[in-house]
Amino acid sequence: MTRTAIASLITAAAFAVAAPLAFAQDRDDRRGDDDRVHAAAAAKADPRFRANSASLDSILADAQRRHPGRVIDVSYDDGEYDIDIRQNDGRIVELEYSARTGRLLEVDYD
């Protein structure tokens, strides 16, 4: 085999491995954006909304400052935001924030 053919095969193999990972990353990023939109809408739909004065954007910024990584899930329930972050070492940290005050209430690691 020639060097060009070998180089072509290596390039094709690398693309075959990398392409699905890139598409999975895009899907996760879109899912994370959808989660944020749904969580913010759920907080606004809560009858106690006026009491939910903390901004979801500021809560997410605080969560990522405390635990750098990729936000993989955001949800709202009963006056609290739950945020899951996959840290660079692969661990998942689960943070619970008060929607009213923006205060961090609880941290769990998976």
Side-chain angles (χ1 to χ4, degrees), residues 25-36:
Q25 177 69 35
D26 277 351
R27 186 177 60 244
D28 286 348
D29 289 345
R30 282 192 306 271
R31 187 178 133 228
D33 291 342
D34 289 345
D35 288 347
R36 291 179 188 126

Side-chain angles (χ1 to χ4, degrees), residues 25-106:
Q25 177 69 35
D26 277 351
R27 186 177 60 244
D28 286 348
D29 289 345
R30 282 192 306 271
R31 187 178 133 228
D33 291 342
D34 289 345
D35 288 347
R36 291 179 188 126
V37 169
H38 289 121
K44 287 180 183 175
D46 190 327
R48 301 166 290 183
F49 174 68
R50 291 178 199 255
N52 296 337
S53 59
S55 153
L56 178 56
D57 289 335
S58 65
I59 289 172
L60 287 168
D62 181 69
Q64 289 191 302
R65 181 183 54 77
R66 291 174 188 260
H67 299 279
R70 196 173 89 236
V71 175
I72 58 173
D73 188 41
V74 179
S75 61
Y76 173 86
D77 186 36
D78 201 26
E80 296 173 351
Y81 286 109
D82 295 315
I83 300 168
D84 294 349
I85 297 176
R86 182 178 308 279
Q87 297 180 300
N88 296 333
D89 63 3
R91 291 190 313 165
I92 295 176
V93 61
E94 299 171 356
L95 303 119
E96 188 175 294
Y97 281 87
S98 166
R100 187 174 58 80
T101 64
R103 196 176 99 228
L104 179 62
L105 303 173
E106 188 176 335

